Amino acid sequence: MDHASTGQKALARIDAASDLDSVEKLRVEFLGKQGSISGLLKTLGAMSPEERQVEGPKIHALRESVTAALGARKEALEGAALEARLAAERIDLSLPAPQTPRGSVHPVSQVMDELAEIFADMGFAVATGPEIEDDWHNFTALNMPETHPARAMHDTFYFPDKDAEGREMLLRTHTSPVQIRSMLKQGAPLLIIAPGRVYRSDSDATHTPMFHQVEGLVIDKGIHLGHLKWTLETFLKAFFEREDIVLRLRPSYFPFTEPSVEVDVGFAIENGRRVLGGSGDAPGHGWMELLGSGMVNRKVIEFGGLDPDEWQGFAFGVGVDRLAMLKYGMDDLRAFFDGDVRWLQHYGFGALDVPTLSGGVGTPA
Ligand code: 2NL
């Protein structure tokens, strides 16, 4: 048997192997259980001691040289593969970093923050409460009797089951129940705003079944309509960032206030858009109904656990979505709740924006 020529052939084939798969196949062919060199090793057992002494070292040397060649070839191929990968994967550190998607603050959240800030400057605290209410806190305590039309099924979302006290359960139709709860819990004097989500079974171009409201309540001794007017005027001037905001108070009716006052704000038309400011009676100007308010009805003060001969108060309510539209020039209410990120990219606010900084341009006439 010519081991030298077997070895030369094996080494030549190993050197010619062009990938790791081929190297592995050769390893199996030579050194595997059924491999040719393994076969040679097995023949040693059948030899005479003399023969084995001659053949043994040759076969072992052959196995060692083939093993070494396989290892060297494998290492060389792996090295080449790594080189190729490094060359292909080179990182260009001068390329701009990929954009990180950036979120933004929804205009409704922004306006709620602005309102909290403005009213905090006047001494108001922010009060919150449940969105699932009972009909006593939502209606009865607000002097809205069983027969009041707002209680009707077509305006209010009722739950199928009553609570433990047998009260109808519903999605609050305004944030007034929060203020009733605050009166009962904290007593008087009281200065609070109650911002939040409210629900009415209503859906068209200008009404969504969920919308946002902020109500304000002041209870103290000797509170009168003058306090109401000053507070709303100061709030609206700060919110719209204009000193020339003019209010018009009109008599109205709400069950929870007496007297009740509808508040209009004067506007001008500039570049086809309604912009708040100036008297609504000036030529080319008009009045826009903005919020409802009034002196808290004596019965409501009693429902809040207070003596109406000792404590008086005023209250108001305004739509937050409407305020946002007016200040920031948005004209479609439904877009507020579509969840289209393009709308938010356009109208949304940076997390670090100062809440009172106005970018308002008015709303279409
Ligand atoms: C509107 C009218 C208003 C109130 C809300 C109120 C709350 C309590 C007592 C008395 Cl606890 N009143 N809230 C008062 C007047 C008007 O909202 O048109 N909102 C959009």
Side-chain angles (χ1 to χ4, degrees), residues 137 141-142 174-181 183 192 200 211-217 219 253-262 289-297 300-301 313-320:
H137 286 94
L142 285 140
H174 44 193
T175 60
S176 312
V178 175
Q179 325 212 61
I180 297 295
R181 289 176 181 280
M183 285 166 78
I192 50 169
R200 292 184 198 174
F211 59 102
H212 300 83
Q213 198 198 19
V214 63
E215 288 203 10
L217 176 70
I219 305 272
Y253 173 79
F254 300 109
F256 26 86
T257 46
E258 182 60 34
S260 299
V261 177
E262 207 89 56
E289 190 178 311
L290 195 57
L291 43 83
S293 63
M295 301 307 297
V296 181
N297 191 304
V300 175
I301 291 186
F314 71 80
F316 61 88
V318 60
V320 175

Side-chain angles (χ1 to χ4, degrees), residues 9-285:
K9 278 184 198 151
L11 295 184
R13 288 181 60 201
I14 291 169
D15 271 346
S18 59
D19 55 54
L20 291 165
D21 261 2
S22 316
V23 175
E24 174 60 12
K25 276 183 189 139
L26 290 172
R27 189 193 64 77
V28 172
E29 182 182 334
F30 299 136
L31 304 172
K33 263 193 181 140
Q34 317 289 330
S36 51
I37 295 175
S38 310
L40 287 176
L41 283 163
K42 284 176 201 154
T43 62
L44 289 172
M47 291 177 189
S48 65
E50 295 74 23
E51 204 181 349
R52 191 180 306 139
Q53 209 154 23
V54 177
E55 287 300 317
K58 288 189 199 162
I59 296 173
H60 278 290
L62 171 64
R63 194 192 60 168
E64 262 153 50
S65 68
V66 166
T67 303
L70 285 167
R73 189 65 194 137
K74 192 174 171 211
E75 207 171 291
L77 286 170
E78 279 172 348
L82 181 62
E83 282 300 320
R85 230 181 75 203
L86 286 177
E89 281 184 6
R90 196 166 3 193
I91 294 169
D92 182 351
L93 292 176
S94 72
L95 285 172
Q99 282 271 311
T100 311
R102 193 178 298 183
S104 59
V105 175
H106 195 283
V108 170
S109 304
Q110 171 78 10
V111 166
M112 297 247 210
D113 288 349
E114 294 174 8
L115 296 171
E117 189 135 325
I118 291 167
F119 279 101
D121 284 349
M122 292 192 270
F124 286 67
V126 173
T128 56
E131 291 178 21
I132 296 173
E133 267 293 2
D134 58 74
D135 70 349
W136 188 88
H137 286 94
N138 193 80
F139 291 130
T140 311
L142 285 140
N143 192 34
M144 293 164 84
E146 305 281 344
T147 55
H148 196 280
R151 288 193 174 210
M153 270 293 193
H154 55 260
D155 279 330
T156 305
F157 291 108
Y158 285 94
F159 288 89
D161 298 322
K162 297 184 162 79
D163 75 354
E165 278 102 277
R167 292 169 175 167
E168 295 272 11
M169 298 300 286
L170 46 83
L171 291 174
R172 68 183 183 193
T173 59
H174 44 193
T175 60
S176 312
V178 175
Q179 325 212 61
I180 297 295
R181 289 176 181 280
S182 296
M183 285 166 78
L184 289 168
K185 200 168 170 189
Q186 283 166 240
L190 196 62
L191 264 94
I192 50 169
I193 57 167
R197 284 191 267 270
V198 300
Y199 303 84
R200 292 184 198 174
S201 182
D202 211 348
S203 189
D204 59 39
T206 55
H207 298 86
T208 48
M210 184 281 301
F211 59 102
H212 300 83
Q213 198 198 19
V214 63
E215 288 203 10
L217 176 70
V218 172
I219 305 272
D220 209 329
K221 293 185 176 173
I223 295 292
H224 54 71
L225 267 179
H227 297 117
L228 165 65
K229 188 180 185 228
W230 179 87
T231 304
L232 294 181
E233 207 166 82
T234 304
F235 149 50
L236 293 171
K237 283 178 178 176
F239 180 75
F240 290 108
E241 295 178 25
R242 294 183 70 123
E243 267 306 306
D244 64 346
I245 296 288
V246 180
L247 304 191
R248 182 177 74 174
L249 273 52
R250 268 185 302 114
S252 183
Y253 173 79
F254 300 109
F256 26 86
T257 46
E258 182 60 34
S260 299
V261 177
E262 207 89 56
V263 179
D264 301 336
V265 180
F267 67 88
I269 298 197
E270 284 169 21
N271 305 318
R273 291 188 154 249
R274 294 193 290 183
V275 177
L276 295 188
S279 166
D281 291 329
H285 287 226

